[in-house]
C-alpha cells in the first residue's frame, strides 16, 4: 500500500502510459477518458446524477416542457412528412378524450430516423405508451424520438427496472451507452469485489458492495427515488464511506512513507535565536510560543517534520518560521524559505534582513526576475552551503538549484502552491541522503471536518491568538456611487499621516469580463489629480520586479500614502502603518480573498477600516458573501461560511488534487462518515486480511483528474 503516491506521479508523468482499456468501445474511449473512465470497471464508480422515473405516467394535459415522462394515449394521426425534411410524425391524444373538441391537447411524436416497426406500431387507433423528454415544438408540445412500446401491457415498460439512471456525460456520450456500460461493469468481478470486512459493514449499517452498485445503477424500487437523488440512500452512504476511507488510507500512507525517511536531527545552539527575540519590538504570544515549541520538538527528531502552521491573517506566523529557520542555521543546516509571489518573497527577504542585521546569518535572495548571472551566483551559494537562509519564490526549487545541507523548507501561504510544486519540493529532498523538514504556513483556516480529512497526513499547530494591542477592523459596505465620499475620507486620512490600500480587481479594460470593472490605471490617474500633496502610487502584476519592490519600499517608508493596487498585494504583505483598505467591486471577490485583503490592515496599533465598494446589481451569492465578510472578522467563521457557499474543493485550492479528492462525500454534511472512516482506517491499517492496495487502486488509480491537477 506504499505505492499510491507514486502511482499518481506515474500517471502524471506519462499521460500516454497504456492503461488497460479492454471492453470499452474504441470510438468512445477518448470521450470516456474525459470522464475519468479508462477501464470498464471504472464505469462502476461513475454514478448516476439522477434517475428518470418510468413508472410515473403523466396525463397529456398536464405535460410540462423539459420533463422526462411516460405518456399514454391513442394515435389519432400518423404520416411520413417530407418538409422540412423526411420525418415520421404521429399525434397522440388521451384515452379518455374523444377528440371532438378543437381544444383537445395533443402530443406530437417525431422521428427523423424510423423503421417500418415504428410506423406499424404508431398506426391510427393504436394505444401507445411512450417515454421521453417534452419539448416545445412548432405545433405545441412534442417528443423527438420517444422510446415507445405498443400499449399491450400498459402496466409495465420493463418489469425489472423502473428508474432509469441518468449519468454525468461529456462530449455527447449517449446515455444509452453509459447505461449499457454500467450494466456490464457491475458484473465484472474486479468491480464488485467487496473489500470491507463484514464487521465494519455491520457496525456502520452499510450494504454490501455488489448491492450498492446494483441499487445505484439499476434501482428497482421507485419509492426510493427521493433518497437516491438526495444521496442519503444507504447505498450512497456506502459509496461515501468507501471514498472517505480511501482518502484516509492514502493520506496515512503518504505520511508513513515520509516518516520512514531520514532527516537531520536539528539541535539548536541557541546562539542566534535569542538575539532575534530580544530585538523584536514585541513579545511572542502564548500561541506563537507553543507553535515554536512544536516545531523545535519536530526538528530535533531524525524523521522529517511535515507541519502545517495555521493562523489567521496577521496572527504572526512569519516570526515563528524565522525562529525555526534560525534553529536550523545554528545547527549548521541550510533553510529554503519560499513564498508564492515575488512581491511577498521580497518582503520576507527584507524583513529577515532587517531582523537579522549584523547577526552572523547569510541570507540569499533567489527569484525568477534576477538576471541569469545573479541567479547563477545565488545558486552557487546554495550549492556550496554558503546561503544559510535562501529566500525566494518557487525559483528556489528549479532543477538547477541544489543545496549542500538543506535542513528545513518553509513554505509560506502553502495553499497557494500547486501539487506540481509540492512534488518538486519533495523530490528536492530526495536527492540528498537526508530529507529536509517542512514547515508550511497557511492562513486558510480549516474547519474540523476538513482538517480531519484533507490534512490527515499533516501535523498541525494553530496560532489562535491575535497579538495584543490590535483594534478590530471596522468593515463598511458602500455603494460605488459614493466612491467620491470615500476618496475624500482617504485623502483626509493620508494628509494626517495615514496610509491606504485601494484595490482593483483588474488592470485593463480589455480583460474579458462583461461588467466594466474599475480600471486601476484610470483610478490611479483620478486619485493623483484629486489628491494634491499626497503621494499616490500604482502597483500591478505586470510591472517588473524592481519597480514593484521600489513601490513597496516607498509604501513601507510612508513615502507613498495611497497605494492603488491590483490583487498582487493580496497575500502576506505587511505594512503595519496602513490602516485603510478600499476594495473596488468587492462583489467580484471570493470570501477567502476578501478576508486576505482585509487582513492587510489592522496590523498595527491604529484603528483600521476596510471599505467594500459594491456595484448596484448584486447576485444572491455576492450578497451572501458580502454579508458574511461584513459580519465576521474571524477567519474560521468565514472559512466555514465559504465552505457552505462554495464547497470544499475551491476553499482548499490545489491541495485537494494531491490527495484523493472527493467526488461523492461532502465533508461538511457527512461529518459522521468522516469520523467513521477515520476509525475504520485505524482498524484496517493493521488488518492483514484487508487488501488495501486493491482498495486504493479502485478509488485512486483511475482518477485521471489527479494527473491533470
Ligand atoms: P501572518 O500570520 O499574516 O503572516 P505576520 O507574520 O506578517 O502575520 O505578522 C503580522 C504583523 O504582526 C507583523 O508586522 C509582525 O511583525 C507583527 N507581530 C507578529 N507577532 C507579534 C506579536 N506577538 N505582538 C505584536 N506584533 C506581532
Ligand atoms: Mg504571512
Amino acid at each position: 500500500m506504499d505505492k499510491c503516491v507514486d502511482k499518481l506521479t506515474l500517471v502524471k508523468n506519462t499521460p500516454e502510459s497504456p492503461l488497460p482499456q479492454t471492453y470499452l468501445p474504441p470510438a468512445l474511449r477518448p470521450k470516456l477518458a474525459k470522464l475519468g473512465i479508462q477501464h470498464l470497471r471504472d464505469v462502476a464508480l461513475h454514478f448516476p446524477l439522477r434517475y428518470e422515473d418510468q413508472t410515473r405516467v403523466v396525463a397529456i394535459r398536464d405535460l410540462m416542457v423539459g420533463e422526462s415522462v411516460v405518456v399514454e394515449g391513442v394515435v389519432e394521426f400518423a404520416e411520413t412528412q417530407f418538409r422540412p425534411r423526411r420525418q415520421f410524425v404521429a399525434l397522440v391524444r388521451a384515452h379518455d378524450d374523444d377528440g371532438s373538441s378543437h381544444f383537445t391537447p395533443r402530443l406530437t411524436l417525431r422521428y427523423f430516423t424510423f423503421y417500418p416497426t415504428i410506423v406499424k406500431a404508431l398506426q391510427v387507433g393504436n394505444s401507445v405508451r411512450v417515454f421521453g423528454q417534452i419539448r416545445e415544438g412548432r405545433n405545441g408540445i412534442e417528443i423527438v424520438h420517444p422510446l415507445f412500446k405498443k400499449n399491450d401491457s400498459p402496466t409495465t415498460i420493463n418489469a425489472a427496472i423502473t428508474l432509469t439512471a441518468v449519468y454525468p456525460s461529456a462530449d455527447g456520450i449517449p446515455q444509452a451507452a453509459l447505461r449499457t456500460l454500467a450494466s456490464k461493469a457491475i458484473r465484472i468481478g474486479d468491480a464488485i469485489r467487496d473489500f470491507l470486512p463484514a464487521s465494519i459493514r455491520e457496525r456502520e449499517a452499510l450494504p454490501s458492495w455488489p448491492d450498492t452498485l446494483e441499487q445505484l445503477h439499476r434501482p428497482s424500487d421507485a419509492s426510493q427515488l427521493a433518497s437516491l437523488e438526495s444521496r442519503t440512500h444507504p447505498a450512497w452512504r456506502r459509496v461515501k464511506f468507501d471514498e472517505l476511507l480511501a482518502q484516509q488510507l492514502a493520506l496515512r500512507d503518504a505520511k508513513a512513507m515520509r516518516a520512514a525517511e531520514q532527516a537531520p536531527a536539528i539541535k539548536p545552539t541557541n546562539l542566534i535565536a535569542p538575539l532575534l527575540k530580544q530585538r523584536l519590538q514585541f513579545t511572542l504570544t502564548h500561541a506563537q510560543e507553543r507553535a515554536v515549541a512544536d516545531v523545535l520538538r519536530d526538528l530535533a527528531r531524525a524523521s522529517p517534520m511535515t507541519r502545517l502552521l495555521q493562523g489567521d491573517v496577521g496572527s504572526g506566523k512569519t516570526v515563528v518560521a524565522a525562529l525555526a529557520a534560525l534553529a536550523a542555521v545554528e545547527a549548521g543546516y541550510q533553510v529554503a524559505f519560499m513564498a508564492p509571489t515575488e512581491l511577498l518573497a521580497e518582503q520576507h527577504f527584507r524583513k529577515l534582513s532587517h531582523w537579522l542585521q549584523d547577526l552572523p546569518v547569510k541570507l540569499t535572495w533567489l527569484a525568477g526576475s534576477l538576471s541569469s548571472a545573479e541567479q547563477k551566483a545565488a545558486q552557487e551559494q546554495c550549492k556550496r552551503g554558503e546561503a544559510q537562509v535562501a529566500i525566494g519564490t518557487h525559483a528556489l526549487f528549479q532543477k538547477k538549484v541544489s543545496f549542500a545541507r538543506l535542513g528545513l523548507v518553509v513554505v509560506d501561504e502553502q495553499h497557494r502552491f500547486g501539487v506540481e510544486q509540492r512534488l518538486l519540493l519533495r523530490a528536492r529532498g530526495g536527492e540528498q541522503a537526508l530529507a529536509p523538514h517542512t514547515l508550511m504556513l497557511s492562513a486558510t483556516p480549516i474547519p474540523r471536518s476538513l482538517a480531519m480529512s484533507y490534512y490527515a497526513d499533516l501535523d498541525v499547530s494553530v496560532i489562535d491568538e491575535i497579538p495584543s494591542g490590535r483594534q478590530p477592523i471596522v468593515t463598511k459596505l458602500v455603494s460605488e456611487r459614493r466612491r467620491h465620499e470615500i476618496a475624500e475620507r482617504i485623502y483626509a486620512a493620508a494628509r494626517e499621516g495615514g496610509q491606504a490600500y485601494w484595490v482593483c480587481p483588474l488592470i485593463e479594460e480589455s480583460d474579458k469580463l462583461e461588467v466594466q470593472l474599475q480600471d486601476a490605471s484610470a483610478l490611479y490617474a483620478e486619485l493623483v489629480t484629486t489628491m494634491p500633496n499626497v503621494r499616490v502610487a500604482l502597483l500591478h502584476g505586470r510591472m517588473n520586479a524592481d519597480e514593484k519592490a521600489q513601490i513597496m519600499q516607498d509604501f513601507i517608508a510612508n513615502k507613498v500614502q495611497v497605494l492603488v493596487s491590483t490583487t498582487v498585494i493580496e497575500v502576506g504583505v505587511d505594512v503595519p502603518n496602513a490602516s485603510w483598505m478600499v476594495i473596488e467591486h468587492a462583489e467580484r471577490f471570493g470570501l477567502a480573498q476578501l478576508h486576505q485583503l482585509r487582513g492587510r490592515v489592522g496590523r498595527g496599533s491604529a484603528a483600521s477600516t476596510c471599505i467594500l465598494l459594491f456595484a448596484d446589481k448584486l447576485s444572491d451569492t455576492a450578497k451572501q458573501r458580502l454579508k458574511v465578510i461584513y459580519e465576521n472578522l474571524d477567519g474560521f467563521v468565514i472559512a466555514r461560511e465559504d465552505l457552505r457557499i462554495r464547497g470544499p474543493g475551491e476553499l482548499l485550492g490545489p491541495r485537494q488534487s494531491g490527495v484523493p479528492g472527493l467526488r461523492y462525500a461532502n465533508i461538511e454534511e457527512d461529518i459522521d462518515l468522516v469520523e467513521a472512516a477515520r476509525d475504520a482506517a485505524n482498524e484496517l491499517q493493521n488488518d492483514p486480511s484487508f487488501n488495501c492496495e486493491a482498495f486504493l487502486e479502485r478509488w485512486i488509480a483511475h482518477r485521471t483528474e489527479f494527473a491533470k491537477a
Side-chain angles (χ1 to χ4, degrees), residues 17-26 29-30 33 37-40:
S17 65
L19 286 163
Q21 301 204 328
T22 5
Y23 305 123
L24 293 178
R29 275 180 203 164
I37 297 170
Q38 306 274 3
H39 186 281
L40 182 59

Side-chain angles (χ1 to χ4, degrees), residues 282-283 285 288 313-318 351 467 470 574 576 603:
F282 49 80
T283 47
T285 60
Q288 284 171 317
V313 283
S315 62
K317 296 181 289 292
T318 318
K351 178 163 243 172
R470 301 241 177 107
D574 181 44
R603 294 177 159 247

Side-chain angles (χ1 to χ4, degrees), residues 668-689:
E668 275 289 273
E669 284 165 15
D670 304 319
I671 179 73
D672 60 321
L673 286 175
V674 176
E675 283 171 16
R678 184 199 51 191
D679 295 345
N682 285 340
E683 288 167 48
L684 293 172
Q685 243 178 342
N686 305 313
D687 182 347
S689 66

Side-chain angles (χ1 to χ4, degrees), residues 289-416:
E289 290 285 9
R290 250 193 336 263
V292 172
D294 286 346
V295 172
L296 293 182
R297 197 172 357 91
D298 286 358
L299 289 179
R301 297 201 181 113
S303 73
M305 162 174 86
T306 313
R307 186 168 284 278
L308 180 73
L309 175 59
Q310 212 208 307
D312 211 346
V313 283
S315 62
K317 296 181 289 292
T318 318
V319 69
V320 174
L323 290 169
L326 289 182
V329 169
E330 287 171 352
Y333 289 97
Q334 292 174 286
V335 178
F337 198 125
M338 180 162 76
T341 65
E342 191 153 340
L343 193 76
L344 180 54
E346 168 113 24
Q347 293 261 296
H348 284 327
F349 180 70
R350 286 180 193 277
K351 178 163 243 172
L352 289 179
S353 304
H354 173 69
W355 276 348
L356 300 177
Q357 218 166 17
D358 308 325
L359 294 181
V361 181
K362 165 79 181 142
L363 301 181
T364 296
W365 168 241
L366 184 53
S369 70
L370 289 179
S371 72
S372 53
E374 289 167 322
Q375 287 204 25
K376 226 167 163 188
Q379 287 161 10
E380 275 300 305
Q381 291 176 7
C382 294
K383 194 169 161 191
R384 286 201 300 266
E386 289 161 17
Q388 288 173 294
V389 182
I391 303 172
T393 55
H394 56 272
L396 278 174
F397 289 96
Q398 298 157 3
K399 284 222 175 59
K400 286 177 236 151
V401 191
S402 62
F403 291 86
R405 280 168 67 79
L406 187 60
L408 171 66
V409 176
V410 176
V411 185
D412 194 17
E413 306 289 346
Q414 167 267 349
H415 58 284
R416 286 291 173 130

